[in-house]
Coordinates of all heavy atoms in Angstrom, one line a residue:
G127 N 161.9 127.4 218.6 CA 162.6 127.0 217.4 C 163.8 126.2 217.7 O 164.6 126.5 218.6
V128 N 163.8 125.0 217.1 CA 164.9 124.0 217.4 C 166.2 124.7 217.1 O 167.2 124.5 217.9 CB 164.7 122.8 216.5 CG1 165.9 121.9 216.5 CG2 163.4 122.0 216.8
V129 N 166.4 125.4 216.0 CA 167.7 126.0 215.6 C 168.0 127.2 216.4 O 169.2 127.4 216.8 CB 167.7 126.3 214.1 CG1 168.9 127.1 213.7 CG2 167.6 125.1 213.3
T130 N 167.0 128.0 216.8 CA 167.3 129.1 217.7 C 167.9 128.7 219.0 O 168.9 129.3 219.5 CB 166.0 130.0 217.9 OG1 165.5 130.4 216.6 CG2 166.3 131.1 218.8
M131 N 167.3 127.7 219.6 CA 167.8 127.2 220.9 C 169.2 126.5 220.6 O 170.1 126.7 221.5 CB 166.9 126.1 221.5 CG 167.2 125.7 222.9 SD 165.9 124.6 223.6 CE 164.6 125.8 223.8
F132 N 169.3 125.9 219.5 CA 170.7 125.2 219.2 C 171.8 126.3 219.1 O 172.8 126.2 219.6 CB 170.5 124.5 217.9 CG 171.8 123.8 217.5 CD1 172.2 122.6 218.1 CD2 172.5 124.2 216.3 CE1 173.3 121.9 217.6 CE2 173.6 123.6 215.9 CZ 174.0 122.4 216.5
L133 N 171.4 127.4 218.4 CA 172.4 128.5 218.3 C 172.8 129.1 219.6 O 173.9 129.5 219.8 CB 171.8 129.6 217.3 CG 171.7 129.3 215.9 CD1 171.0 130.4 215.1 CD2 173.1 129.0 215.2
G134 N 171.7 129.3 220.5 CA 172.0 130.0 221.7 C 172.9 129.2 222.7 O 173.6 129.9 223.5
F135 N 172.9 127.9 222.6 CA 173.6 127.2 223.7 C 174.6 126.1 223.2 O 175.4 125.5 223.9 CB 172.6 126.4 224.6 CG 171.8 127.4 225.4 CD1 170.6 127.8 224.9 CD2 172.3 128.0 226.5 CE1 169.8 128.8 225.6 CE2 171.6 128.9 227.3 CZ 170.3 129.3 226.8
I136 N 174.7 125.9 221.9 CA 175.6 124.9 221.3 C 176.7 125.5 220.4 O 177.9 125.4 220.6 CB 174.9 123.7 220.7 CG1 174.0 123.1 221.7 CG2 175.9 122.7 220.1 CD1 173.2 121.9 221.1
I137 N 176.2 126.2 219.3 CA 177.1 126.7 218.4 C 177.7 128.0 218.9 O 177.0 128.9 219.4 CB 176.5 127.0 217.0 CG1 176.1 125.6 216.4 CG2 177.3 127.7 216.1 CD1 175.5 125.7 215.0
H138 N 178.9 128.3 218.7 CA 179.6 129.5 219.2 C 180.4 130.1 218.0 O 181.4 129.6 217.6 CB 180.5 129.3 220.4 CG 179.7 128.6 221.5 ND1 178.9 129.3 222.3 CD2 179.7 127.4 221.9 CE1 178.4 128.5 223.2 NE2 178.9 127.3 223.0
R139 N 180.0 131.3 217.6 CA 180.7 132.1 216.6 C 181.1 131.4 215.4 O 182.3 131.2 215.0 CB 182.0 132.7 217.3 CG 181.7 133.6 218.4 CD 183.0 134.2 219.0 NE 182.7 135.1 220.1 CZ 182.5 134.7 221.3 NH1 182.6 133.5 221.6 NH2 182.2 135.6 222.2
V140 N 180.1 130.8 214.7 CA 180.4 130.1 213.5 C 179.6 130.8 212.4 O 178.6 131.4 212.5 CB 179.9 128.6 213.6 CG1 180.7 127.9 214.6 CG2 178.5 128.5 213.9
P141 N 180.2 130.7 211.1 CA 179.5 131.4 210.0 C 178.1 130.9 209.7 O 177.4 131.6 209.0 CB 180.5 131.1 208.8 CG 181.8 130.8 209.4 CD 181.5 130.1 210.7
V142 N 177.8 129.7 210.1 CA 176.5 129.2 209.8 C 175.3 129.8 210.6 O 174.2 129.6 210.2 CB 176.4 127.6 209.9 CG1 177.4 126.9 209.0 CG2 176.6 127.3 211.4
A143 N 175.7 130.5 211.6 CA 174.7 131.1 212.5 C 173.6 131.9 211.8 O 172.4 131.7 212.0 CB 175.4 131.9 213.6
M144 N 174.1 132.8 211.0 CA 173.2 133.7 210.3 C 172.2 132.9 209.4 O 171.0 133.2 209.3 CB 174.0 134.8 209.5 CG 173.1 135.7 208.7 SD 172.2 136.9 209.7 CE 173.5 138.1 210.0
A145 N 172.8 132.1 208.6 CA 172.1 131.3 207.6 C 171.0 130.4 208.4 O 169.9 130.4 207.9 CB 172.9 130.4 206.8
L146 N 171.4 129.8 209.4 CA 170.4 129.0 210.1 C 169.3 129.8 210.8 O 168.2 129.4 210.8 CB 171.2 128.2 211.2 CG 172.1 127.1 210.8 CD1 172.9 126.5 211.9 CD2 171.4 126.0 210.0
Y147 N 169.7 130.9 211.4 CA 168.7 131.8 212.1 C 167.7 132.2 211.1 O 166.5 132.2 211.3 CB 169.5 133.0 212.7 CG 168.6 133.8 213.7 CD1 168.5 133.3 215.0 CD2 168.0 134.9 213.3 CE1 167.7 134.0 215.9 CE2 167.2 135.6 214.2 CZ 167.1 135.2 215.5 OH 166.3 135.9 216.4
R148 N 168.1 132.7 209.9 CA 167.1 133.2 208.9 C 166.4 132.0 208.3 O 165.2 132.1 207.8 CB 167.9 134.0 207.8 CG 168.3 135.4 208.4 CD 169.0 136.2 207.3 NE 169.2 137.6 207.7 CZ 169.9 138.5 207.2 NH1 170.6 138.1 206.1 NH2 170.1 139.6 207.7
G149 N 167.0 130.9 208.2 CA 166.4 129.7 207.6 C 165.2 129.2 208.4 O 164.3 128.6 207.9
E150 N 165.2 129.5 209.7 CA 164.1 129.2 210.6 C 163.0 130.2 210.5 O 162.0 130.1 211.3 CB 164.5 128.9 212.0 CG 163.6 128.0 212.8 CD 164.2 127.5 214.1 OE1 164.8 128.4 214.8 OE2 164.2 126.3 214.3
G151 N 163.1 131.2 209.7 CA 162.1 132.2 209.5 C 162.1 133.3 210.7 O 161.1 133.9 210.9
R152 N 163.3 133.5 211.2 CA 163.4 134.5 212.3 C 164.2 135.7 211.9 O 165.3 135.5 211.3 CB 164.0 133.9 213.6 CG 163.1 132.7 214.1 CD 163.5 132.3 215.5 NE 162.7 131.2 216.0 CZ 161.5 131.4 216.5 NH1 161.1 132.6 216.7 NH2 160.7 130.4 216.9
E153 N 163.7 136.8 212.1 CA 164.5 138.1 211.8 C 164.4 139.0 213.0 O 163.6 138.8 213.8 CB 163.9 138.8 210.6 CG 164.0 138.0 209.2 CD 165.4 138.1 208.7 OE1 166.2 138.8 209.2 OE2 165.6 137.4 207.7
S154 N 165.4 139.9 213.0 CA 165.5 140.9 214.1 C 166.2 142.0 213.6 O 166.9 142.0 212.6 CB 166.1 140.3 215.3 OG 166.1 141.2 216.4
E155 N 165.9 143.2 214.3 CA 166.6 144.4 213.8 C 168.1 144.3 214.1 O 168.6 143.8 215.2 CB 166.1 145.6 214.6 CG 164.6 145.9 214.3 CD 164.1 147.1 215.1 OE1 164.8 147.7 215.8 OE2 162.8 147.3 214.9
S156 N 168.9 144.8 213.1 CA 170.4 144.9 213.3 C 171.1 143.6 213.5 O 172.0 143.4 214.3 CB 170.7 145.9 214.4 OG 170.1 147.1 214.2
I157 N 170.6 142.5 212.9 CA 171.2 141.2 213.0 C 172.5 141.2 212.3 O 172.6 141.5 211.1 CB 170.3 140.0 212.5 CG1 169.1 139.8 213.4 CG2 171.1 138.8 212.4 CD1 168.3 138.7 213.1
R158 N 173.6 140.8 212.9 CA 174.9 140.6 212.2 C 175.4 139.3 212.7 O 175.0 138.7 213.6 CB 175.8 141.8 212.7 CG 175.4 143.1 212.3 CD 176.4 144.2 212.8 NE 176.5 144.2 214.3 CZ 175.7 144.9 215.0 NH1 174.7 145.6 214.6 NH2 175.8 144.9 216.4
M159 N 176.4 138.8 211.9 CA 177.0 137.5 212.1 C 177.5 137.4 213.6 O 177.3 136.4 214.2 CB 178.2 137.3 211.2 CG 178.7 135.9 211.3 SD 177.6 134.7 210.7 CE 177.7 135.1 209.0
G160 N 178.1 138.5 214.2 CA 178.6 138.4 215.5 C 177.6 138.5 216.6 O 177.8 138.2 217.7
S161 N 176.3 139.0 216.2 CA 175.3 139.2 217.2 C 174.2 138.2 217.3 O 173.4 138.1 218.2 CB 174.7 140.6 217.0 OG 174.0 140.6 215.8
V162 N 174.1 137.4 216.2 CA 172.9 136.5 216.1 C 173.0 135.4 217.2 O 171.9 135.0 217.8 CB 172.9 135.8 214.7 CG1 174.1 134.9 214.5 CG2 171.6 135.0 214.5
I163 N 174.2 135.0 217.6 CA 174.3 133.9 218.7 C 173.9 134.5 220.0 O 173.1 134.0 220.8 CB 175.7 133.4 218.8 CG1 176.0 132.7 217.4 CG2 175.9 132.4 219.9 CD1 177.4 132.3 217.2
E164 N 174.4 135.8 220.3 CA 174.0 136.5 221.5 C 172.5 136.8 221.6 O 171.9 136.6 222.6 CB 174.8 137.8 221.7 CG 174.6 138.5 223.0 CD 175.0 137.7 224.2 OE1 175.9 136.9 224.1 OE2 174.4 137.8 225.3
L165 N 172.0 137.1 220.4 CA 170.5 137.4 220.3 C 169.8 136.1 220.6 O 168.7 136.1 221.4 CB 170.2 137.8 218.9 CG 168.7 138.1 218.6 CD1 168.2 139.3 219.4 CD2 168.5 138.4 217.1
S166 N 170.2 135.0 220.1 CA 169.5 133.7 220.4 C 169.5 133.4 221.9 O 168.5 132.9 222.4 CB 170.2 132.6 219.6 OG 170.0 132.8 218.2
K167 N 170.6 133.7 222.6 CA 170.7 133.4 224.0 C 169.7 134.3 224.7 O 169.0 133.8 225.6 CB 172.1 133.7 224.5 CG 173.2 132.7 224.1 CD 174.5 133.0 224.6 CE 175.6 132.0 224.2 NZ 176.9 132.3 224.7
R168 N 169.7 135.6 224.4 CA 168.8 136.5 225.1 C 167.3 136.1 224.8 O 166.5 136.1 225.8 CB 169.0 137.9 224.6 CG 170.3 138.5 225.0 CD 170.5 139.9 224.4 NE 171.8 140.4 224.8 CZ 172.3 141.6 224.4 NH1 171.5 142.4 223.6 NH2 173.4 142.1 224.8
I169 N 167.0 135.7 223.6 CA 165.6 135.3 223.3 C 165.2 134.1 224.2 O 164.1 134.0 224.7 CB 165.4 135.0 221.8 CG1 165.5 136.3 221.0 CG2 164.1 134.2 221.6 CD1 165.4 136.1 219.5
T170 N 166.2 133.1 224.3 CA 165.9 131.9 225.0 C 165.7 132.2 226.5 O 164.8 131.7 227.1 CB 167.1 130.9 224.9 OG1 167.3 130.6 223.5 CG2 166.8 129.6 225.6
M171 N 166.5 133.1 227.0 CA 166.4 133.5 228.4 C 165.0 134.2 228.7 O 164.4 133.9 229.7 CB 167.5 134.5 228.9 CG 168.9 133.8 228.8 SD 169.0 132.4 230.0 CE 170.7 132.0 229.8
I172 N 164.6 135.1 227.8 CA 163.3 135.7 227.9 C 162.2 134.7 227.8 O 161.2 134.7 228.6 CB 163.1 136.8 226.8 CG1 164.1 138.0 227.1 CG2 161.7 137.3 226.8 CD1 164.1 139.0 226.0
Y173 N 162.4 133.7 226.9 CA 161.4 132.6 226.8 C 161.2 131.8 228.1 O 160.1 131.5 228.5 CB 161.9 131.7 225.6 CG 161.0 130.7 225.1 CD1 159.8 131.1 224.4 CD2 161.2 129.4 225.2 CE1 158.9 130.2 223.8 CE2 160.3 128.4 224.6 CZ 159.2 128.8 224.0 OH 158.4 127.9 223.4
V174 N 162.3 131.5 228.7 CA 162.3 130.8 230.0 C 161.6 131.6 231.1 O 160.8 131.2 231.8 CB 163.7 130.4 230.4 CG1 163.7 129.9 231.8 CG2 164.3 129.4 229.5
A175 N 162.0 132.9 231.1 CA 161.4 133.9 232.1 C 159.8 134.0 231.9 O 159.1 133.9 232.9 CB 162.0 135.2 232.0
L176 N 159.4 134.1 230.6 CA 157.9 134.1 230.4 C 157.2 132.8 230.7 O 156.1 132.8 231.2 CB 157.7 134.5 228.9 CG 158.1 135.9 228.5 CD1 157.9 136.1 227.0 CD2 157.4 137.0 229.2
T177 N 157.9 131.7 230.5 CA 157.4 130.4 230.9 C 157.2 130.3 232.4 O 156.1 129.8 232.9 CB 158.3 129.2 230.4 OG1 158.5 129.4 229.0 CG2 157.7 127.9 230.7
L178 N 158.1 130.8 233.2 CA 158.0 130.8 234.6 C 156.9 131.7 235.1 O 156.2 131.3 236.0 CB 159.4 131.2 235.2 CG 160.6 130.3 235.0 CD1 161.8 130.9 235.6 CD2 160.3 128.9 235.7
L179 N 156.8 132.8 234.4 CA 155.6 133.7 234.7 C 154.3 133.0 234.5 O 153.4 133.1 235.3 CB 155.7 135.0 233.9 CG 154.5 135.9 233.9 CD1 154.3 136.5 235.3 CD2 154.6 137.0 232.9
A180 N 154.2 132.2 233.4 CA 153.0 131.5 233.1 C 152.7 130.4 234.1 O 151.5 130.3 234.5 CB 153.1 130.9 231.7
I181 N 153.7 129.7 234.5 CA 153.6 128.7 235.6 C 153.0 129.3 236.8 O 152.1 128.8 237.4 CB 154.9 128.0 235.9 CG1 155.4 127.2 234.6 CG2 154.8 127.1 237.1 CD1 156.8 126.6 234.8

Side-chain angles (χ1 to χ4, degrees):
V128 172
V129 172
T130 300
M131 190 172 290
F132 181 72
L133 288 174
F135 293 95
I136 299 179
I137 291 184
H138 303 285
R139 298 181 180 84
V140 295
V142 298
M144 177 73 81
L146 290 176
Y147 193 82
R148 287 181 172 168
E150 202 168 49
R152 298 189 180 278
E153 294 283 354
S154 181
E155 295 179 4
S156 305
I157 289 182
R158 297 180 297 276
M159 187 66 72
S161 65
V162 65
I163 296 168
E164 185 61 32
L165 178 66
S166 296
K167 288 181 180 179
R168 291 179 182 178
I169 287 176
T170 304
M171 294 301 183
I172 292 172
Y173 193 65
V174 171
L176 293 177
T177 304
L178 293 174
L179 172 64
I181 292 173

